[in-house]
Amino acid sequence: MPLDYTVHPRRTSLVIVAVFLLFNLCYHVVYFSNDENRRSVHVPIHASATLARCRALDAKPGPPEDFYARNVSDRFQTGTKPVVIRNATIWTGRVQGLEVLQGDVLFDGGIIKHVGTISEALLGEYDDLVSVDAHGAWVTPGIIDVHSHLGDEPSPALAGAQDGNSLKGLVQPWLRSLDGLNTHDEGYASSVAGGLTTALILPGSANAIGGQAFVIKPRPTVERSPTAMLVEPPFNLNRSHENDGSPPRWRHMKHACGENPSGVYAGTRMDTFWAFRQGYETARQIKQAQDEYCSKAVAGDWASLNDQSFPENLQWEALVDVLRGRVKVQTHCYEAVDLDAFVRLSNEFRFPVAAFHHAHEAYLVPDVLKRAYEHPPAVAMFAAFARYKREAYRHSEFAPRVLADNDIDVVMKSDHSAIVSRYLIHEAAQAHFYGLADNIALASVTTTAAKVLGLDHRIGYLKTGYDADVVIWDSHPLALGATPKQVYIDGIPQLADPFTVEKPAMAQRAPKTPDFDQEAANAVKYEGLPPIAPTRVKTGTIVFANVSSLLLKHPRRELYDAFEARGSSEPGIVVMEVSERHTGIVCAGPGEECAYSLAADNLDVVDLAGGSLQPGLVTAGSYIGLSEIPMERSTGDGPMYNLLAGDPPSIAGGPGYLPKAVDGLMFGTRDALLAYRAGVTIAVSPVYHDGAFARGLSTAFSLGAATKLEMGAVVSDVAALHFAIGHGDVPSVSTEIAALRHVLLHPPQGDGEAWYKKVVDGEIPLIVETHNADIIATLITLKTEVEAKTGHTMKVTILGGAEAHLLADELAGAGIGVVVSPPRPLAYSWDLRRVNPGLPITNQSAIARLIEAGVTVGIGPQGTSGMPGLSAWAVRNLRFDAGWEMLNAPKTISKATAFALVSSNIEKLLGVPLDPYESDLIATSGGDLLSFDGKVVAVISPRRGRVDFFD
Ligand SMILES: *[C@@H]1O[C@H](CO)[C@@H](O)[C@H](O)[C@H]1NC(C)=O
Ligand SMILES: *[C@@H]1O[C@H](CO)[C@@H](O)[C@H](O)[C@H]1NC(C)=O
Ligand SMILES: *[C@@H]1O[C@H](CO)[C@@H](O)[C@H](O)[C@H]1NC(C)=O
Ligand SMILES: *[C@@H]1O[C@H](CO)[C@@H](O)[C@H](O)[C@H]1NC(C)=O
Ligand SMILES: *[C@@H]1O[C@H](CO)[C@@H](O)[C@H](O)[C@H]1NC(C)=O
């Protein structure tokens, strides 16, 4: 029962007494009278404190009324100079994210003082003012991540600091992520370099209720403590302000439904929801006891309270606060079944839900969200990271726009380090690419995120009185590869010596993204599993019109623009003849030259609207094609034998066992078809084994084929021989090197023998998956050693290569190529701790460094936490990854080089024997493959003698 503060006549005297008691703790016994009776009441010594506490019970969280009177931020660091950023293009976050001002931003004391046109007179009032000329650059509020494990699961990952998940119970609202917030996480500086200025640090999702979450700013502090990183921590943390009358501050509580808690606790969804209800019932009873107690206390009825103290329970107090509406409930919940159950729970126990996180099926059930208690939860999502487990299988890249169309608040989040939070803006940019309006996309990582955290009174906007968390960008923040030139947190510049490059003028506006209306409608219609195979297959003559570039492979496999080569920059026409016998370009050139082709009857004329024809992309570095849902064993080929764990059974070949990925291939997986629709036509995948040494023989295959038996489905049965070597492996790195040396010099007899010999003879490449520079150095010497003994030159490729830049010249000298995978690694583990972070921290990317040294370089998918086994979903993003490298290293990486990184170089490095004339071509409309402007409309495949359309 809620407390009733209404003062009516019979109670007036009691209220006065109570107020009096607040200031007079020494009165134990008070006599008073009223008209009906006269009696003595024992008033306990804690009465005043108790009454104050009772009054505070239902106070709603929020900033104090005089919040904007603050002149100095509570997070101000002494010595921070005032800054004015002049001549900026300012996205303020106001007016639904539609306001853009040309002008200046002034901050001091850790607080924004003025936004817009600022007079010289005002600037004159500031001593020591630092003036920064933005030269018109985009300036936004700092990026806010509502779902991060920074600090609790620090990088590089070491066993000594795995503080994300407690496995001591299904419901543990008493735990606090703050208690595990490690201050030495490489992820902080990395994230700040991407513009991140605030993050909510959530406990993991192993538990139904995993504990309390805390908001931090990831900058270094003078105190060097976790506490110093907090933003408006709840007062209950140290109880200092408990009764001082100021409104409480928001708290956060992590909840999780579905696979994780059921999996960890060997239960079911039914068990998880019973655990929720049991926990909430416990909290409800405590709340009710408190409310009853307080109504008696406020009524002065101490007699019937009979010296009982205020009912409370340290383990459950946070959940009681949820029921009092003072906690932002942050719920990891994927599927319709879970969302629906949690909405029922919110109504049963009457608490609002701040956000559903991940929520891969939320876009299918907006009406369920709208039924939640008090208000629809926001939905905090990944852009394209999906299908890694069953719950995420029906994800759609169109979910953000579908939810926004349904008036649901949309937030993009990282789940750092699942997605590296340095690139959170890229999640918003992808959502924008797939149809989320630019103002909503920018809001999704700023203003809307601030609202979800209950902090939109101080962060998420560029407004007077707000925290001075500001990013100056090198391009429009939603442009591909947008990178900060400087990041301010609490007014403090975070990049001591930022490196920047000049971005093209086109990158200074929001990308003109394709029309995906039909695809978005289909995602909902087919409940997340719309048909994605090509819609039309054509042969015959096909005319592509309004083509602005035609990038072709040269027999020596260097790409060139055939249009530019002909001295024409106007959109032209490309006429293709397509048949199983022969597929090729009949005419290509400016309009008039091939215009005759338009006159013929029965032609397929495809208007590319300024788009391009370019090579199909080739991928390596994931296990695409070997499973549908990586975390569901029954949907994939499964792991091979670990060769270092004992000889495989003789029926499998004993010591000569060497499985071929081609035998386990699955065609038409959703990851494969989505990648195909994004211009990736060929993949090279080895046999899956997470963490073990051998990966068998890889295969190169067509991502667009429906079955293995289709013409051209398998490009080569065997591409290369794969191994993986890393610190932390059991047995040791030295054992893995010994084993590698042994199989090369003394190939085990049996089925594998011939393949090992082919590697030694340089007929097929040896691929070693590793990141670490010491291991790479050992491989360079091993290559020399084996070659000296055999007299043959081997082809060796490093896959991974996060530290390869440290040996760029040596790799070039040894003729060893590198597929950098992921292309933008974090120091996920010790083996990657010397990553080269690239702009704005270092002057160039590791990829550009390797290219400059003369190494043949490819790039793999960005993927998840650097785990190849969880990266097939990301193959579709190769086009953007290549474009990113080009935009951030314009002097080193031309468009042709960028394409080579994801096509011809992968073919060379992974041993895919492709005739350049047989290469697939991708037709994109509106722009090319390396941008957010182009949309893939067709794949022209000479090898397969057909053109696949996606219209
Ligand atoms: C804050 O600044 C305003 C105007 O700049 C001034 O009027 C006010 O006195 C200041 N308040 C404090 C507490 O310093
Ligand atoms: C702002 O910067 C742009 C781009 O450098 C420049 O063209 C313009 O003249 C500048 N405007 C002012 C007022 O300085
Ligand atoms: C207790 O927490 C509040 C809120 O963060 C802070 O202002 C205060 O300084 C803290 N007190 C102590 C003694 O740490
Ligand atoms: C080329 O683009 C122009 C402008 O959009 C359009 O009018 C024309 O029809 C296009 N040409 C062809 C052959 O589709
Ligand atoms: C980047 O820095 C490295 C190391 O300081 C230097 O060797 C290299 O030349 C620089 N490259 C560029 C493009 O500035």
Side-chain angles (χ1 to χ4, degrees), residues 579-602:
S579 73
E580 287 201 5
R581 214 171 22 79
H582 173 75
T583 296
I585 294 171
V586 180
C587 178
E592 320 84 64
E593 214 167 292
C594 305
Y596 71 90
S597 60
L598 293 171
D601 290 339
N602 284 332

Side-chain angles (χ1 to χ4, degrees), residues 6-324:
T6 318
V7 177
H8 53 81
R10 276 193 59 221
R11 281 223 197 124
T12 309
S13 57
L14 302 183
V15 172
I16 291 165
V17 170
V19 169
F20 180 66
L21 283 173
L22 273 174
F23 302 99
N24 296 274
L25 288 171
C26 52
Y27 285 79
H28 290 205
V29 179
V30 178
Y31 291 92
F32 66 95
S33 65
N34 67 19
D35 296 344
E36 279 128 77
N37 58 6
R38 177 177 283 266
R39 60 192 169 92
S40 73
V41 179
H42 176 75
V43 174
I45 191 156
H46 58 73
S48 63
T50 300
L51 286 167
R53 188 161 187 186
C54 286
R55 296 226 155 68
L57 278 186
D58 285 324
K60 293 298 174 211
E65 262 174 33
D66 63 350
F67 182 76
Y68 294 113
R70 67 182 187 154
N71 283 14
V72 170
S73 170
D74 53 355
R75 294 189 41 84
F76 176 66
Q77 185 172 301
T78 312
T80 308
K81 291 180 179 170
V83 174
V84 61
I85 301 171
R86 311 216 68 177
N87 191 13
T89 304
I90 307 162
W91 185 84
T92 64
R94 304 195 313 179
V95 201
Q96 278 87 51
L98 293 168
E99 183 182 66
V100 176
L101 306 174
Q102 296 294 331
D104 316 320
V105 183
L106 171 68
F107 38 93
D108 184 27
I111 296 171
I112 295 173
K113 297 291 182 186
H114 284 280
V115 178
T117 307
I118 300 177
S119 69
E120 296 299 329
L122 178 60
L123 295 180
E125 290 173 18
Y126 290 85
D127 291 335
D128 241 4
L129 182 69
V130 177
S131 182
V132 176
D133 189 348
H135 298 290
W138 282 91
V139 171
T140 68
I143 302 302
I144 300 169
D145 191 356
V146 302
H147 190 131
S148 177
H149 302 290
L150 273 169
D152 276 18
E153 288 166 10
S155 309
L158 292 169
Q162 294 298 316
D163 293 308
N165 283 296
S166 157
L167 300 182
K168 291 184 182 292
L170 205 41
V171 171
Q172 308 189 97
W174 46 87
L175 301 184
R176 295 168 166 181
S177 68
L178 175 62
D179 294 330
L181 192 78
N182 197 296
T183 51
H184 311 294
D185 183 343
E186 299 284 334
Y188 295 130
S190 154
S191 300
V192 170
L196 189 85
T197 58
T198 306
L200 176 65
I201 309 305
L202 291 158
S205 49
N207 327 85
I209 299 183
Q212 299 157 43
F214 291 83
V215 180
I216 64 158
K217 293 200 188 180
R219 70 168 170 85
T221 64
V222 171
E223 192 179 281
R224 301 195 181 94
S225 71
T227 302
M229 299 174 81
L230 296 171
V231 183
E232 291 198 359
F235 295 134
N236 75 312
L237 207 52
N238 60 19
R239 297 198 155 178
S240 59
H241 295 53
E242 200 157 65
N243 299 326
D244 77 355
S246 47
R249 288 160 166 189
W250 282 108
R251 308 174 73 180
H252 298 269
M253 183 68 74
K254 175 73 180 283
H255 292 61
C257 336
E259 284 187 30
N260 289 9
S262 347
V264 170
Y265 289 94
T268 63
R269 288 184 158 77
M270 297 189 288
D271 296 300
T272 302
F273 271 87
W274 171 244
F276 280 133
R277 296 181 65 224
Q278 213 173 15
Y280 273 106
E281 179 57 17
T282 305
R284 192 193 64 77
Q285 287 177 11
I286 295 168
K287 175 176 182 285
Q288 185 176 339
Q290 289 174 346
D291 291 347
E292 283 169 6
Y293 181 98
C294 282
S295 65
K296 285 181 185 155
V298 168
D301 187 2
W302 300 106
S304 73
L305 288 175
N306 196 19
D307 272 349
Q308 293 161 42
S309 56
F310 180 78
E312 63 183 332
N313 180 313
L314 191 55
Q315 283 192 304
W316 296 101
E317 60 81 28
L319 220 51
V320 174
D321 246 8
V322 173
L323 297 179
R324 294 195 183 284

